[in-house]
């Protein structure tokens, strides 16, 4: 069964993809028809994107048209209803992207490649995420650690897609790319 947050992210991504590919302004009905997303979900996301200054609304109030004014790239912007950015999970998202790009890495490499001016990623956060993904079968160790001089080096072995696997409190990893759960310690 798909995770509720994953469904919301997927809906937002579909709306975003449609807005980016549109040749011009689109009505809400156009977006609903093209994406198959529920009207309330489309309305709420458009409202949040407008509050963030990413889309603009024009035309009559009965049937306004929406146009993309700031293209943030492939990934749908994560914004709250008031237009403020959702920053929770950005460190994990950056770690996953770095893992996919680097192929082999230490926790220090990941932290260095994942930190941005807006997102703080510590080496400890990278270590914990690597440890959990290793236990869930996403990584393998290519070079064991020899503290304090040498850090462990990992290789990504299960690259399932662009969304980062989420470590859950119940000692499992949920993969939003495949809608599967992997217990820590292996297995599927």
């Amino acid at each position: 069964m798909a995770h509720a947050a994953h469904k919301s992210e997927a809906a937002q991504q579909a709306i975003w993809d449609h807005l980016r590919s549109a040749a011009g302004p689109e009505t809400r009905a156009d977006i609903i028809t093209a994406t198959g997303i529920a009207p309330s979900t489309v309305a709420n996301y458009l409202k949040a994107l407008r509050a963030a200054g990413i889309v603009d609304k024009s035309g009559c109030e009965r049937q306004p048209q929406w146009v993309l004014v700031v293209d943030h790239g492939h990934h749908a912007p994560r914004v709250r209803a008031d237009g403020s950015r959702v920053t929770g999970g950005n460190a994990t998202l950056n770690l996953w992207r770095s893992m996919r790009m680097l192929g082999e890495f230490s926790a220090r490499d990941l932290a260095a490649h994942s930190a941005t001016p807006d997102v703080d990623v510590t080496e400890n956060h990278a270590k914990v995420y690597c440890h959990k993904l290793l236990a869930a079968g996403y990584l393998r160790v290519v070079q064991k650690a020899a503290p304090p001089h040498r850090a462990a080096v990992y290789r990504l072995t299960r690259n399932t897609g662009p969304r980062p696997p989420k470590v859950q409190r119940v000692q499992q990893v949920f993969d939003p790319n495949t809608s599967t759960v992997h217990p820590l310690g292996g297995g599927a």
Side-chain angles (χ1 to χ4, degrees):
M1 184 168 163
H3 196 266
H6 169 60
K7 286 181 183 178
S8 174
E9 290 170 10
Q12 290 176 358
Q13 188 65 49
I15 295 164
W16 180 248
D17 291 343
H18 180 75
L19 288 170
R20 289 187 75 222
S21 66
E26 296 275 306
T27 65
R28 192 170 51 176
D30 294 335
I31 297 167
I32 293 165
T33 300
T35 63
I37 305 297
S40 62
T41 302
V42 172
N44 291 338
Y45 192 51
L46 288 173
K47 194 182 298 182
L49 289 174
R50 183 172 188 219
I54 297 170
V55 299
D56 202 6
K57 182 167 96 168
S58 63
C60 70
E61 199 56 38
R62 273 185 51 169
Q63 187 122 27
Q65 295 186 321
W66 299 85
V67 65
L68 186 64
V69 292
V70 179
D71 189 341
H72 284 273
H74 172 73
H75 298 283
R78 297 172 61 215
V79 292
R80 292 182 186 88
D82 66 0
S84 63
R85 294 282 182 170
V86 174
T87 57
N90 285 349
T92 302
L93 177 62
N94 288 2
L95 285 167
W96 180 246
R97 285 179 182 164
S98 295
M99 286 179 183
R100 295 179 71 220
M101 287 187 300
L102 295 171
E104 283 189 10
F105 45 82
S106 68
R108 180 174 288 151
D109 295 334
L110 276 182
H113 282 87
S114 301
T116 69
D118 299 329
V119 180
D120 182 39
V121 181
T122 65
E123 185 176 345
N124 189 55
H125 184 167
K127 279 181 186 175
V128 169
Y129 193 56
C130 285
H131 200 52
K132 298 293 185 179
L133 292 189
L134 176 67
Y138 283 82
L139 306 178
R140 81 174 172 84
V141 176
V142 255
Q143 181 179 342
K144 288 186 177 187
H149 304 292
R150 187 178 72 212
V153 176
Y154 302 94
R155 175 177 289 141
L156 181 62
T157 57
R158 188 185 289 164
N159 183 353
T160 56
R163 294 184 190 96
K166 297 174 183 188
V167 177
Q168 298 179 324
R169 288 187 195 130
V170 290
Q171 298 304 304
Q172 65 186 20
V173 172
F174 171 73
D175 190 329
N177 300 294
T178 59
S179 294
T180 56
V181 173
H182 303 277
L184 297 183

